[in-house]
Coordinates of all heavy atoms in Angstrom, one line a residue:
I26 N 48.7 -197.6 -1.3 CA 49.7 -197.3 -2.4 C 48.9 -197.1 -3.7 O 49.3 -196.2 -4.4 CB 50.6 -198.5 -2.5 CG1 51.7 -198.3 -1.5 CG2 51.2 -198.7 -3.9 CD1 52.9 -199.2 -1.6
I27 N 47.9 -197.8 -4.0 CA 47.1 -197.6 -5.2 C 46.5 -196.2 -5.2 O 46.6 -195.6 -6.3 CB 46.0 -198.8 -5.3 CG1 46.6 -200.1 -5.4 CG2 45.2 -198.5 -6.6 CD1 47.5 -200.3 -6.6
D28 N 45.9 -195.8 -4.1 CA 45.3 -194.5 -4.0 C 46.3 -193.4 -4.3 O 46.0 -192.4 -5.0 CB 44.6 -194.3 -2.7 CG 43.4 -195.2 -2.5 OD1 42.7 -195.5 -3.5 OD2 43.3 -195.7 -1.3
F29 N 47.5 -193.5 -3.7 CA 48.5 -192.6 -3.9 C 49.0 -192.6 -5.4 O 49.2 -191.5 -6.0 CB 49.7 -192.9 -3.0 CG 50.9 -191.9 -3.1 CD1 50.7 -190.7 -2.6 CD2 52.1 -192.3 -3.7 CE1 51.8 -189.7 -2.7 CE2 53.1 -191.4 -3.8 CZ 52.9 -190.1 -3.3
T30 N 49.0 -193.7 -6.0 CA 49.4 -193.8 -7.5 C 48.3 -193.0 -8.3 O 48.7 -192.3 -9.2 CB 49.5 -195.3 -7.9 OG1 50.5 -195.9 -7.1 CG2 49.9 -195.3 -9.4
F31 N 47.1 -193.2 -8.0 CA 46.0 -192.5 -8.7 C 46.1 -191.0 -8.5 O 46.0 -190.2 -9.5 CB 44.6 -193.0 -8.3 CG 44.2 -194.2 -9.0 CD1 44.2 -195.5 -8.3 CD2 43.7 -194.2 -10.3 CE1 43.9 -196.6 -9.0 CE2 43.3 -195.4 -10.9 CZ 43.4 -196.6 -10.2
L32 N 46.5 -190.5 -7.4 CA 46.7 -189.1 -7.1 C 47.9 -188.6 -7.9 O 47.8 -187.5 -8.4 CB 46.9 -188.8 -5.6 CG 45.6 -188.7 -4.8 CD1 45.9 -188.6 -3.3 CD2 44.7 -187.5 -5.2
L33 N 49.0 -189.3 -7.9 CA 50.1 -188.9 -8.7 C 49.7 -188.8 -10.2 O 50.2 -187.9 -10.9 CB 51.3 -189.9 -8.5 CG 52.0 -189.8 -7.3 CD1 53.1 -190.9 -7.2 CD2 52.7 -188.5 -7.1
D34 N 48.9 -189.7 -10.7 CA 48.5 -189.7 -12.1 C 47.7 -188.4 -12.3 O 47.8 -187.8 -13.4 CB 47.6 -190.9 -12.4 CG 47.3 -191.0 -13.9 OD1 48.2 -190.9 -14.7 OD2 46.1 -191.0 -14.2
V35 N 46.8 -187.9 -11.4 CA 46.1 -186.7 -11.5 C 47.1 -185.5 -11.7 O 47.0 -184.7 -12.7 CB 45.2 -186.4 -10.4 CG1 44.6 -185.0 -10.4 CG2 44.1 -187.5 -10.3
V36 N 48.1 -185.4 -10.9 CA 49.1 -184.4 -10.9 C 49.9 -184.5 -12.3 O 50.1 -183.5 -12.9 CB 50.1 -184.5 -9.8 CG1 51.3 -183.5 -9.9 CG2 49.4 -184.2 -8.5
K37 N 50.3 -185.7 -12.7 CA 51.0 -185.9 -13.9 C 50.2 -185.4 -15.1 O 50.7 -184.8 -16.1 CB 51.4 -187.4 -14.1 CG 52.1 -187.7 -15.4 CD 52.1 -189.2 -15.7 CE 50.8 -189.8 -15.9 NZ 50.2 -189.8 -17.2
N38 N 48.9 -185.7 -15.1 CA 48.1 -185.3 -16.2 C 47.9 -183.9 -16.4 O 47.6 -183.4 -17.5 CB 46.7 -186.0 -16.1 CG 46.7 -187.4 -16.5 OD1 47.5 -187.9 -17.3 ND2 45.9 -188.2 -15.8
F39 N 48.1 -183.0 -15.4 CA 48.2 -181.6 -15.6 C 49.4 -181.1 -16.3 O 49.5 -179.9 -16.7 CB 48.1 -180.9 -14.2 CG 46.7 -180.6 -13.8 CD1 46.2 -181.3 -12.7 CD2 45.8 -179.7 -14.4 CE1 44.8 -181.1 -12.2 CE2 44.5 -179.5 -14.0 CZ 44.0 -180.2 -12.9
H40 N 50.4 -182.0 -16.5 CA 51.6 -181.6 -17.1 C 52.0 -182.4 -18.4 O 53.0 -182.3 -18.9 CB 52.8 -181.7 -16.1 CG 52.6 -180.9 -14.9 ND1 52.8 -179.5 -14.9 CD2 52.1 -181.2 -13.7 CE1 52.5 -179.1 -13.7 NE2 52.1 -180.1 -12.9
T41 N 51.0 -183.2 -18.8 CA 51.2 -184.1 -20.0 C 50.6 -183.6 -21.2 O 49.3 -183.3 -21.1 CB 50.7 -185.6 -19.7 OG1 51.3 -186.0 -18.4 CG2 51.0 -186.5 -20.8
G42 N 51.3 -183.4 -22.3 CA 50.7 -183.0 -23.5 C 49.7 -183.9 -24.1 O 49.5 -185.1 -23.6
F43 N 48.9 -183.5 -25.1 CA 47.9 -184.3 -25.7 C 47.8 -184.0 -27.2 O 48.4 -183.0 -27.7 CB 46.6 -184.1 -25.1 CG 46.0 -182.7 -25.2 CD1 45.1 -182.4 -26.3 CD2 46.4 -181.7 -24.4 CE1 44.6 -181.1 -26.4 CE2 45.8 -180.4 -24.5 CZ 44.9 -180.1 -25.6
I44 N 47.2 -184.8 -27.9 CA 47.0 -184.6 -29.4 C 45.6 -184.0 -29.6 O 44.6 -184.7 -29.2 CB 47.2 -185.9 -30.2 CG1 48.6 -186.4 -30.0 CG2 46.9 -185.7 -31.6 CD1 48.9 -187.8 -30.6
N45 N 45.5 -182.9 -30.2 CA 44.2 -182.3 -30.5 C 43.4 -183.0 -31.6 O 43.9 -183.9 -32.2 CB 44.3 -180.8 -30.6 CG 44.9 -180.3 -31.9 OD1 45.2 -181.2 -32.8 ND2 45.1 -179.1 -32.0
A46 N 42.3 -182.4 -31.9 CA 41.4 -183.0 -33.0 C 42.0 -182.9 -34.4 O 41.6 -183.7 -35.3 CB 40.0 -182.3 -33.0
H47 N 42.9 -182.0 -34.5 CA 43.6 -181.8 -35.8 C 44.9 -182.6 -35.9 O 45.6 -182.5 -36.9 CB 43.9 -180.3 -36.1 CG 42.7 -179.5 -36.0 ND1 41.7 -179.5 -37.0 CD2 42.2 -178.6 -35.1 CE1 40.7 -178.7 -36.7 NE2 41.0 -178.1 -35.5
G48 N 45.2 -183.4 -34.9 CA 46.4 -184.2 -34.9 C 47.7 -183.5 -34.5 O 48.8 -184.0 -34.6
F49 N 47.6 -182.3 -33.9 CA 48.8 -181.6 -33.4 C 49.0 -181.9 -32.0 O 48.1 -182.0 -31.2 CB 48.6 -180.0 -33.6 CG 48.5 -179.6 -35.0 CD1 47.3 -179.2 -35.5 CD2 49.6 -179.6 -35.8 CE1 47.1 -178.7 -36.9 CE2 49.5 -179.2 -37.1 CZ 48.3 -178.7 -37.7
I50 N 50.3 -182.0 -31.7 CA 50.7 -182.2 -30.3 C 50.6 -180.9 -29.5 O 51.3 -180.0 -29.9 CB 52.1 -182.9 -30.2 CG1 52.1 -184.2 -30.9 CG2 52.5 -183.0 -28.7 CD1 53.5 -184.9 -31.0
I51 N 49.9 -180.9 -28.4 CA 49.8 -179.6 -27.6 C 50.6 -179.8 -26.4 O 50.5 -180.8 -25.6 CB 48.3 -179.4 -27.2 CG1 47.4 -179.4 -28.4 CG2 48.1 -178.1 -26.4 CD1 47.7 -178.4 -29.5
M52 N 51.6 -178.9 -26.2 CA 52.5 -178.9 -25.1 C 52.4 -177.6 -24.2 O 53.1 -177.4 -23.3 CB 53.9 -179.1 -25.5 CG 54.1 -180.5 -26.2 SD 53.8 -181.9 -25.1 CE 55.0 -181.7 -23.9
D53 N 51.4 -176.7 -24.6 CA 51.2 -175.5 -23.9 C 50.5 -175.8 -22.5 O 49.4 -176.3 -22.4 CB 50.3 -174.6 -24.7 CG 50.0 -173.2 -24.0 OD1 50.9 -172.6 -23.6 OD2 48.8 -172.9 -24.0
K54 N 51.3 -175.5 -21.4 CA 50.8 -175.8 -20.1 C 49.4 -175.3 -19.7 O 48.5 -176.1 -19.3 CB 51.8 -175.4 -19.0 CG 53.1 -176.1 -19.0 CD 53.0 -177.4 -18.4 CE 54.4 -177.9 -18.4 NZ 54.5 -179.4 -18.1
P55 N 49.1 -174.1 -20.0 CA 47.7 -173.6 -19.6 C 46.6 -174.3 -20.4 O 45.6 -174.6 -19.9 CB 47.7 -172.1 -19.9 CG 49.2 -171.7 -19.9 CD 50.0 -172.9 -20.3
R56 N 46.9 -174.6 -21.7 CA 45.9 -175.3 -22.5 C 45.8 -176.8 -22.1 O 44.7 -177.3 -22.1 CB 46.4 -175.2 -24.0 CG 45.3 -175.7 -24.9 CD 45.6 -175.2 -26.3 NE 44.6 -175.8 -27.2 CZ 44.8 -175.9 -28.5 NH1 46.0 -175.4 -29.1 NH2 44.0 -176.5 -29.3
I57 N 46.9 -177.4 -21.7 CA 46.8 -178.8 -21.2 C 46.0 -178.8 -19.9 O 45.1 -179.7 -19.8 CB 48.3 -179.3 -20.9 CG1 49.1 -179.5 -22.2 CG2 48.2 -180.6 -20.1 CD1 50.5 -179.7 -21.9
Q58 N 46.2 -177.9 -19.0 CA 45.5 -177.9 -17.8 C 44.0 -177.6 -18.0 O 43.2 -178.3 -17.4 CB 46.2 -176.8 -16.8 CG 47.5 -177.2 -16.4 CD 48.3 -176.2 -15.8 OE1 47.9 -175.0 -15.7 NE2 49.5 -176.5 -15.2
K59 N 43.7 -176.7 -18.9 CA 42.3 -176.4 -19.1 C 41.6 -177.6 -19.7 O 40.5 -177.9 -19.4 CB 42.2 -175.2 -20.1 CG 40.9 -174.7 -20.4 CD 40.9 -173.5 -21.3 CE 39.5 -173.1 -21.7 NZ 39.5 -171.9 -22.5
T60 N 42.2 -178.2 -20.7 CA 41.6 -179.4 -21.4 C 41.5 -180.5 -20.4 O 40.4 -181.1 -20.3 CB 42.5 -179.8 -22.6 OG1 42.6 -178.7 -23.5 CG2 41.9 -181.0 -23.3
Y61 N 42.5 -180.8 -19.6 CA 42.4 -181.9 -18.6 C 41.2 -181.6 -17.6 O 40.5 -182.5 -17.3 CB 43.7 -182.1 -17.9 CG 43.6 -183.2 -16.9 CD1 43.3 -184.5 -17.2 CD2 44.0 -182.9 -15.6 CE1 43.3 -185.5 -16.2 CE2 44.0 -183.9 -14.6 CZ 43.6 -185.2 -15.0 OH 43.6 -186.2 -14.0
F62 N 41.2 -180.4 -17.2 CA 40.2 -180.0 -16.2 C 38.8 -180.2 -16.7 O 37.9 -180.6 -16.0 CB 40.4 -178.6 -15.7 CG 39.6 -178.2 -14.5 CD1 39.9 -178.7 -13.2 CD2 38.5 -177.4 -14.6 CE1 39.2 -178.3 -12.1 CE2 37.7 -177.1 -13.5 CZ 38.1 -177.5 -12.3
R63 N 38.6 -179.9 -18.0 CA 37.3 -180.0 -18.6 C 36.9 -181.4 -19.0 O 35.8 -181.7 -19.2 CB 37.2 -179.1 -19.9 CG 37.1 -177.7 -19.6 CD 36.8 -176.9 -20.9 NE 37.1 -177.6 -22.1 CZ 37.8 -177.2 -23.1 NH1 38.2 -175.9 -23.1 NH2 38.1 -177.9 -24.2
T64 N 37.9 -182.3 -19.1 CA 37.6 -183.7 -19.6 C 37.8 -184.7 -18.5 O 36.8 -185.2 -17.9 CB 38.6 -184.0 -20.8 OG1 39.9 -183.9 -20.4 CG2 38.3 -183.2 -22.0
W65 N 39.0 -185.1 -18.1 CA 39.1 -186.3 -17.2 C 39.4 -186.0 -15.8 O 39.6 -186.8 -15.0 CB 40.3 -187.2 -17.8 CG 39.8 -188.0 -18.9 CD1 40.0 -187.8 -20.3 CD2 39.2 -189.3 -18.8 NE1 39.4 -188.8 -21.0 CE2 38.9 -189.8 -20.1 CE3 38.7 -190.0 -17.7 CZ2 38.3 -190.9 -20.4 CZ3 38.1 -191.2 -17.9 CH2 37.8 -191.7 -19.2
F66 N 39.6 -184.7 -15.4 CA 40.0 -184.3 -14.1 C 39.0 -184.9 -13.0 O 39.5 -185.6 -12.1 CB 40.1 -182.8 -13.9 CG 40.4 -182.4 -12.5 CD1 41.6 -182.7 -11.9 CD2 39.4 -181.8 -11.7 CE1 41.9 -182.3 -10.6 CE2 39.7 -181.4 -10.4 CZ 40.9 -181.7 -9.9
F67 N 37.7 -184.6 -13.1 CA 36.8 -185.1 -12.1 C 36.7 -186.6 -12.0 O 36.7 -187.1 -10.9 CB 35.4 -184.4 -12.3 CG 35.5 -182.9 -11.9 CD1 35.5 -182.0 -12.9 CD2 35.6 -182.5 -10.6 CE1 35.5 -180.6 -12.6 CE2 35.7 -181.2 -10.3 CZ 35.7 -180.2 -11.3
P68 N 36.6 -187.3 -13.1 CA 36.6 -188.8 -13.0 C 37.9 -189.3 -12.4 O 37.9 -190.2 -11.5 CB 36.5 -189.3 -14.4 CG 35.8 -188.2 -15.2 CD 36.3 -186.9 -14.5
D69 N 39.0 -188.7 -12.7 CA 40.3 -189.1 -12.1 C 40.3 -188.8 -10.6 O 40.8 -189.6 -9.8 CB 41.5 -188.4 -12.9 CG 41.8 -189.0 -14.2 OD1 41.1 -190.0 -14.5 OD2 42.6 -188.4 -14.9
L70 N 39.9 -187.6 -10.3 CA 39.8 -187.2 -8.8 C 38.9 -188.1 -8.0 O 39.3 -188.6 -7.0 CB 39.4 -185.8 -8.7 CG 39.5 -185.2 -7.3 CD1 40.9 -185.2 -6.8 CD2 38.8 -183.8 -7.2
L71 N 37.7 -188.5 -8.6 CA 36.9 -189.4 -7.9 C 37.5 -190.7 -7.7 O 37.3 -191.4 -6.7 CB 35.5 -189.5 -8.6 CG 34.5 -188.5 -8.4 CD1 33.3 -188.7 -9.3 CD2 34.1 -188.4 -7.0
S72 N 38.2 -191.2 -8.8 CA 38.8 -192.5 -8.6 C 40.0 -192.5 -7.7 O 40.4 -193.6 -7.3 CB 39.3 -193.0 -10.1 OG 40.4 -192.2 -10.4
S73 N 40.5 -191.4 -7.2 CA 41.6 -191.3 -6.3 C 41.1 -191.3 -4.9 O 42.0 -191.4 -4.0 CB 42.4 -190.0 -6.6 OG 42.9 -190.0 -7.9
I74 N 39.8 -191.1 -4.7 CA 39.3 -191.1 -3.3 C 39.5 -192.5 -2.6 O 39.0 -193.4 -3.2 CB 37.9 -190.7 -3.2 CG1 37.7 -189.3 -3.8 CG2 37.3 -190.8 -1.8 CD1 36.3 -188.8 -3.9
P75 N 40.1 -192.6 -1.5 CA 40.3 -193.8 -0.8 C 39.0 -194.3 -0.1 O 38.8 -194.1 1.1 CB 41.4 -193.6 0.2 CG 41.3 -192.1 0.5 CD 40.8 -191.4 -0.8
V76 N 38.1 -194.8 -0.9 CA 36.7 -195.2 -0.5 C 36.8 -196.1 0.7 O 36.0 -196.0 1.7 CB 35.9 -195.8 -1.6 CG1 34.5 -196.1 -1.1 CG2 35.8 -194.8 -2.7
D77 N 37.6 -197.1 0.6 CA 37.7 -198.1 1.8 C 38.0 -197.4 3.0 O 37.5 -197.7 4.1 CB 38.7 -199.2 1.4 CG 38.4 -200.0 0.2 OD1 37.2 -200.1 -0.1 OD2 39.3 -200.6 -0.4
A78 N 39.0 -196.5 3.0 CA 39.4 -195.8 4.2 C 38.2 -194.9 4.7 O 38.0 -194.8 5.9 CB 40.6 -195.0 3.9
L79 N 37.5 -194.3 3.7 CA 36.4 -193.4 4.1 C 35.3 -194.2 4.9 O 34.8 -193.8 5.9 CB 35.7 -192.8 2.9 CG 36.5 -191.6 2.3 CD1 35.8 -191.1 1.1 CD2 36.6 -190.5 3.3
F80 N 35.0 -195.4 4.4 CA 34.0 -196.3 5.1 C 34.5 -196.7 6.4 O 33.7 -196.8 7.3 CB 33.7 -197.5 4.2 CG 32.8 -197.2 3.0 CD1 32.9 -197.9 1.8 CD2 31.8 -196.2 3.1 CE1 32.0 -197.6 0.8 CE2 30.9 -195.9 2.1 CZ 31.1 -196.6 0.9
R81 N 35.8 -197.0 6.5 CA 36.3 -197.4 7.8 C 36.2 -196.2 8.8 O 35.9 -196.4 10.0 CB 37.8 -197.8 7.7 CG 37.9 -199.3 7.5 CD 39.3 -199.8 7.4 NE 39.6 -199.5 6.0 CZ 40.8 -199.3 5.5 NH1 41.8 -199.3 6.2 NH2 40.9 -199.0 4.2
W82 N 36.6 -195.0 8.4 CA 36.6 -193.8 9.3 C 35.1 -193.5 9.7 O 34.9 -193.0 10.8 CB 37.2 -192.6 8.5 CG 38.7 -192.8 8.3 CD1 39.6 -193.5 9.1 CD2 39.4 -192.2 7.3 NE1 40.8 -193.4 8.5 CE2 40.7 -192.6 7.4 CE3 39.1 -191.4 6.2 CZ2 41.7 -192.2 6.6 CZ3 40.1 -191.0 5.4 CH2 41.4 -191.4 5.6
T83 N 34.2 -193.7 8.8 CA 32.8 -193.4 9.2 C 32.0 -194.5 9.8 O 30.9 -194.4 10.2 CB 32.0 -192.9 7.9 OG1 32.0 -194.0 7.0 CG2 32.6 -191.7 7.3
G84 N 32.7 -195.7 9.9 CA 32.0 -196.8 10.6 C 31.0 -197.5 9.7 O 30.2 -198.3 10.2
T85 N 31.1 -197.3 8.4 CA 30.2 -198.0 7.5 C 30.9 -199.0 6.5 O 30.5 -199.2 5.4 CB 29.5 -196.9 6.6 OG1 30.5 -196.1 5.9 CG2 28.6 -196.0 7.5
E86 N 32.0 -199.6 7.0 CA 32.8 -200.4 6.1 C 32.1 -201.6 5.6 O 32.4 -202.2 4.6 CB 34.1 -200.8 6.8 CG 34.0 -201.6 8.1 CD 35.3 -201.8 8.7 OE1 36.2 -202.4 8.0 OE2 35.4 -201.4 9.9
G87 N 31.1 -202.1 6.3 CA 30.4 -203.3 5.8 C 29.3 -203.0 4.7 O 28.7 -203.9 4.2
L88 N 29.2 -201.7 4.4 CA 28.1 -201.3 3.5 C 28.5 -201.5 2.0 O 27.7 -201.3 1.1 CB 27.7 -199.9 3.7 CG 26.9 -199.7 5.0 CD1 26.7 -198.2 5.2 CD2 25.6 -200.4 5.1
S89 N 29.8 -201.8 1.7 CA 30.2 -201.9 0.3 C 29.5 -203.0 -0.4 O 29.4 -203.0 -1.6 CB 31.7 -202.1 0.3 OG 32.1 -203.4 0.9
E90 N 29.0 -204.0 0.3 CA 28.2 -205.1 -0.3 C 26.7 -204.9 -0.1 O 25.9 -205.6 -0.6 CB 28.6 -206.4 0.3 CG 30.0 -206.9 -0.1 CD 31.0 -206.3 0.8 OE1 30.7 -206.1 2.0 OE2 32.1 -206.2 0.4
G91 N 26.3 -203.8 0.6 CA 24.9 -203.6 0.9 C 24.1 -202.9 -0.2 O 24.5 -202.9 -1.3
Q92 N 23.0 -202.3 0.2 CA 22.1 -201.7 -0.8 C 21.9 -200.2 -0.5 O 21.2 -199.5 -1.3 CB 20.7 -202.4 -0.8 CG 20.8 -203.8 -1.1 CD 21.3 -204.1 -2.6 OE1 21.0 -203.3 -3.5 NE2 22.0 -205.1 -2.7
G93 N 22.5 -199.6 0.5 CA 22.3 -198.2 0.8 C 23.0 -197.3 -0.2 O 23.7 -197.7 -1.1
N94 N 22.8 -196.0 0.1 CA 23.4 -194.9 -0.7 C 25.0 -195.0 -0.7 O 25.7 -194.8 -1.7 CB 23.0 -193.6 -0.2 CG 21.6 -193.2 -0.6 OD1 21.1 -193.8 -1.5 ND2 21.0 -192.3 0.2
E95 N 25.5 -195.4 0.5 CA 27.0 -195.5 0.6 C 27.5 -196.7 -0.3 O 28.5 -196.6 -0.9 CB 27.4 -195.8 2.0 CG 27.2 -194.7 3.0 CD 25.8 -194.7 3.6 OE1 25.0 -195.6 3.3 OE2 25.5 -193.8 4.4
A96 N 26.7 -197.8 -0.4 CA 27.1 -198.9 -1.2 C 27.1 -198.5 -2.7 O 27.9 -198.9 -3.5 CB 26.2 -200.1 -1.0
Q97 N 26.1 -197.7 -3.1 CA 26.0 -197.2 -4.5 C 27.1 -196.3 -4.8 O 27.7 -196.4 -5.9 CB 24.6 -196.5 -4.7 CG 23.5 -197.5 -4.7 CD 22.1 -196.7 -4.8 OE1 22.1 -195.5 -4.7 NE2 21.1 -197.5 -5.0
L98 N 27.5 -195.4 -3.9 CA 28.7 -194.6 -4.1 C 29.9 -195.4 -4.2 O 30.7 -195.1 -5.1 CB 28.8 -193.6 -2.9 CG 30.1 -192.7 -2.9 CD1 30.0 -191.8 -4.1 CD2 30.1 -192.0 -1.5
F99 N 30.1 -196.4 -3.3 CA 31.3 -197.3 -3.4 C 31.4 -198.0 -4.8 O 32.4 -198.0 -5.4 CB 31.2 -198.3 -2.3 CG 32.3 -199.3 -2.3 CD1 33.5 -199.0 -1.8 CD2 32.2 -200.6 -2.9 CE1 34.6 -199.9 -1.8 CE2 33.2 -201.5 -2.9 CZ 34.4 -201.1 -2.3
K100 N 30.2 -198.4 -5.3 CA 30.2 -199.1 -6.6 C 30.5 -198.1 -7.7 O 31.2 -198.4 -8.7 CB 28.9 -199.8 -6.8 CG 28.7 -201.0 -5.9 CD 27.4 -201.6 -6.0 CE 27.2 -202.8 -5.0 NZ 25.9 -203.3 -4.9
A101 N 30.0 -196.9 -7.6 CA 30.2 -195.9 -8.7 C 31.6 -195.5 -8.7 O 32.2 -195.5 -9.8 CB 29.3 -194.7 -8.4
I102 N 32.3 -195.3 -7.6 CA 33.7 -194.9 -7.6 C 34.6 -196.1 -8.1 O 35.5 -195.9 -8.8 CB 34.1 -194.4 -6.2 CG1 33.4 -193.1 -5.9 CG2 35.6 -194.3 -6.1 CD1 33.6 -192.5 -4.6
R103 N 34.2 -197.3 -7.7 CA 35.0 -198.4 -8.2 C 34.9 -198.6 -9.7 O 35.9 -198.9 -10.4 CB 34.4 -199.7 -7.5 CG 35.3 -200.9 -7.7 CD 34.9 -202.1 -6.9 NE 33.5 -202.3 -7.0 CZ 32.8 -203.1 -6.2 NH1 33.4 -203.6 -5.2 NH2 31.5 -203.3 -6.3
T104 N 33.7 -198.3 -10.2 CA 33.5 -198.4 -11.7 C 34.3 -197.3 -12.4 O 35.0 -197.5 -13.4 CB 32.0 -198.1 -12.1 OG1 31.3 -199.2 -11.4 CG2 31.8 -198.2 -13.5
I105 N 34.4 -196.1 -11.8 CA 35.2 -195.0 -12.4 C 36.7 -195.4 -12.3 O 37.4 -195.1 -13.3 CB 34.9 -193.6 -11.7 CG1 33.5 -193.2 -11.9 CG2 35.9 -192.6 -12.1 CD1 33.1 -192.0 -11.0
R106 N 37.1 -196.0 -11.2 CA 38.5 -196.4 -11.1 C 38.9 -197.4 -12.1 O 39.9 -197.4 -12.7 CB 38.7 -197.0 -9.7 CG 40.1 -197.3 -9.4 CD 40.3 -197.7 -8.0 NE 40.4 -196.5 -7.2 CZ 40.9 -196.4 -6.0 NH1 41.4 -197.5 -5.4 NH2 40.9 -195.3 -5.3
M107 N 38.0 -198.4 -12.4 CA 38.2 -199.4 -13.4 C 38.3 -198.8 -14.8 O 39.1 -199.1 -15.6 CB 37.1 -200.5 -13.4 CG 37.2 -201.3 -12.1 SD 38.8 -202.1 -11.9 CE 38.9 -203.2 -13.3
A108 N 37.4 -197.8 -15.1 CA 37.5 -197.1 -16.4 C 38.9 -196.4 -16.5 O 39.4 -196.4 -17.6 CB 36.3 -196.1 -16.5
K109 N 39.3 -195.8 -15.5 CA 40.7 -195.1 -15.6 C 41.8 -196.1 -15.8 O 42.6 -195.8 -16.6 CB 40.9 -194.4 -14.2 CG 42.2 -193.6 -14.2 CD 42.4 -192.8 -13.0 CE 43.7 -192.1 -13.1 NZ 43.9 -191.2 -12.0
I110 N 41.7 -197.3 -15.2 CA 42.7 -198.3 -15.4 C 42.7 -198.8 -16.8 O 43.7 -198.8 -17.5 CB 42.5 -199.5 -14.4 CG1 42.9 -199.1 -13.0 CG2 43.4 -200.7 -14.8 CD1 42.5 -200.1 -11.9
F111 N 41.5 -199.0 -17.4 CA 41.4 -199.4 -18.8 C 42.0 -198.3 -19.7 O 42.6 -198.5 -20.7 CB 40.0 -199.7 -19.2 CG 39.6 -201.0 -18.6 CD1 38.4 -201.1 -17.9 CD2 40.3 -202.2 -18.8 CE1 38.0 -202.4 -17.4 CE2 40.0 -203.4 -18.3 CZ 38.8 -203.5 -17.6
R112 N 41.7 -197.0 -19.4 CA 42.2 -195.9 -20.1 C 43.7 -195.9 -20.2 O 44.3 -195.5 -21.2 CB 41.6 -194.6 -19.6 CG 41.9 -193.4 -20.6 CD 41.4 -192.1 -19.9 NE 42.5 -191.6 -19.1 CZ 42.4 -190.8 -18.1 NH1 41.2 -190.3 -17.8 NH2 43.4 -190.4 -17.4
L113 N 44.3 -196.2 -19.0 CA 45.8 -196.2 -19.0 C 46.5 -197.2 -19.8 O 47.5 -197.0 -20.3 CB 46.2 -196.4 -17.5 CG 45.9 -195.3 -16.5 CD1 46.3 -195.7 -15.1 CD2 46.7 -194.0 -16.9
F114 N 45.7 -198.3 -20.1 CA 46.3 -199.4 -20.9 C 46.1 -199.3 -22.4 O 46.6 -200.1 -23.2 CB 45.7 -200.8 -20.4 CG 46.4 -201.2 -19.1 CD1 45.6 -201.3 -18.0 CD2 47.7 -201.5 -19.0 CE1 46.2 -201.7 -16.8 CE2 48.3 -201.9 -17.9 CZ 47.5 -202.0 -16.7
R115 N 45.3 -198.3 -22.8 CA 45.1 -198.2 -24.2 C 46.1 -197.4 -24.9 O 47.0 -196.8 -24.5 CB 43.7 -197.7 -24.6 CG 43.4 -196.3 -24.1 CD 42.1 -195.8 -24.5 NE 42.0 -194.5 -23.9 CZ 41.8 -193.4 -24.5 NH1 41.6 -193.4 -25.8 NH2 41.8 -192.3 -23.9

C-alpha cells in the first residue's frame, strides 16, 4: 500500500502547480511536467520501487542488513524514501 501511495504521488506531481523563483504560481501543464521531471521525478521514482519485494523475488531478502551492493542499494532507496516523506510534511 505504501509503494502504491508513492507511485500515486509521482503521477499527482505531474499535474500539481508550483511557485517559481519570482513567486508566481505556475499551472501550465507542460511547464509543470518539465520542471518536475528535471527536479524531483527521479528521486520520487526511486522511492517508489518496492525494494522489499525485489529482494524477495531475487532471493536476496536477507541482504538488507548485510554489507553487499544490494544492501547499499536498499539503504540508499530507503534514505530517498525518507527524504520524500519529510518533503511531504513541510
Side-chain angles (χ1 to χ4, degrees):
I26 277 194
I27 298 296
D28 296 323
F29 183 70
T30 303
F31 277 101
L32 278 174
L33 284 178
D34 186 56
V35 170
V36 173
K37 176 193 68 85
N38 284 326
F39 271 111
H40 302 282
T41 303
F43 65 95
I44 299 174
N45 69 5
H47 302 290
F49 295 108
I50 298 174
I51 306 300
M52 296 301 292
D53 178 53
K54 294 278 187 199
R56 192 164 170 198
I57 292 168
Q58 294 166 352
K59 182 179 177 183
T60 301
Y61 178 58
F62 191 75
R63 285 190 341 226
T64 56
W65 280 98
F66 174 71
F67 288 107
D69 286 352
L70 186 64
L71 277 176
S72 69
S73 301
I74 295 172
V76 178
D77 298 334
L79 286 176
F80 283 147
R81 268 181 277 158
W82 293 331
T83 62
T85 57
E86 62 185 303
L88 293 175
S89 63
E90 290 84 29
Q92 298 298 323
N94 288 336
E95 293 88 357
Q97 290 175 351
L98 174 66
F99 179 80
K100 291 174 184 174
I102 291 175
R103 188 171 51 196
T104 301
I105 293 170
R106 183 173 282 199
M107 292 304 296
K109 182 174 180 175
I110 290 171
F111 287 127
R112 190 184 85 200
L113 291 173
F114 284 114
R115 63 176 177 123

